[in-house]
Amino acid sequence: MAWDEWERLKSSAAERAAGGTRLNGVPDEDRVGAVGEGDLTVSQQDLAAVGDQAHTLYERLWKEARIALPTSDRAAGDLSGQGFALGGALLHVSNRWEKQLGSLMDACAHISNHMDVSGKTHRDDDDWIQRSMSGIDTLDRGFDESYAPAGAKNPVYEQKDAKGEGRG
């Protein structure tokens, strides 16, 4: 990348950032292919489909990718026993394959398991956020002077008796 191009890209980025930080969305001119407004939604069916594919890949790797390992290890031992340096190289490749295969299978299992619980976890998170926000709303009303004139008690914090009536 030429230096002039780099400088042009930096100044272009600075111009876009000059508008300040937006925490509530993307400006309309930057919304490429936006489908609409609202919350991010994912159905449990979508998550389950991803999890099923990861599980299927895991099973195929278990059945098909491990077959060559015992044969390769045996061949590496035979070659090394006959004095061929290729035996050590083949053993190295076999060990590396086994390690990488294990990492890939672990990743597939993690994805599959994660997709099984993702929907419920996100619903629980949304419920917790909603409960937290409703508590903040009550606290905010306590600081709003329109609910109680200066010097008067705010009814938001009024103690209630067993019947739910105010006791002051």
Side-chain angles (χ1 to χ4, degrees), residues 94-156:
S94 177
N95 290 338
R96 191 76 173 151
W97 176 265
E98 188 172 9
K99 184 175 182 178
Q100 294 297 322
L101 178 61
S103 294
L104 182 58
M105 290 175 68
D106 287 347
C108 289
H110 180 76
I111 290 168
S112 177
N113 293 337
H114 183 71
M115 292 298 110
D116 289 342
V117 298
S118 238
K120 181 184 182 323
T121 301
H122 290 297
R123 277 192 305 278
D124 292 347
D125 289 347
D126 286 346
D127 292 344
W128 180 85
I129 290 168
Q130 186 176 15
R131 286 191 310 271
S132 297
M133 294 305 290
S134 64
I136 291 171
D137 185 44
T138 301
L139 181 64
D140 192 40
R141 282 196 313 254
F143 288 104
D144 189 348
E145 291 184 10
S146 66
Y147 281 87
K153 292 185 178 182
N154 189 323
V156 170

Side-chain angles (χ1 to χ4, degrees), residues 31-69:
R31 294 182 58 146
V32 178
V35 178
E37 299 294 324
D39 295 331
L40 173 66
T41 58
V42 177
S43 71
Q44 186 60 37
Q45 184 178 10
D46 295 335
L47 296 174
V50 172
D52 288 345
Q53 289 296 316
H55 183 72
T56 300
L57 178 57
Y58 177 90
E59 287 181 346
R60 284 195 62 203
L61 290 170
W62 179 259
K63 290 176 187 171
E64 299 171 22
R66 295 178 324 115
I67 292 173
L69 292 176

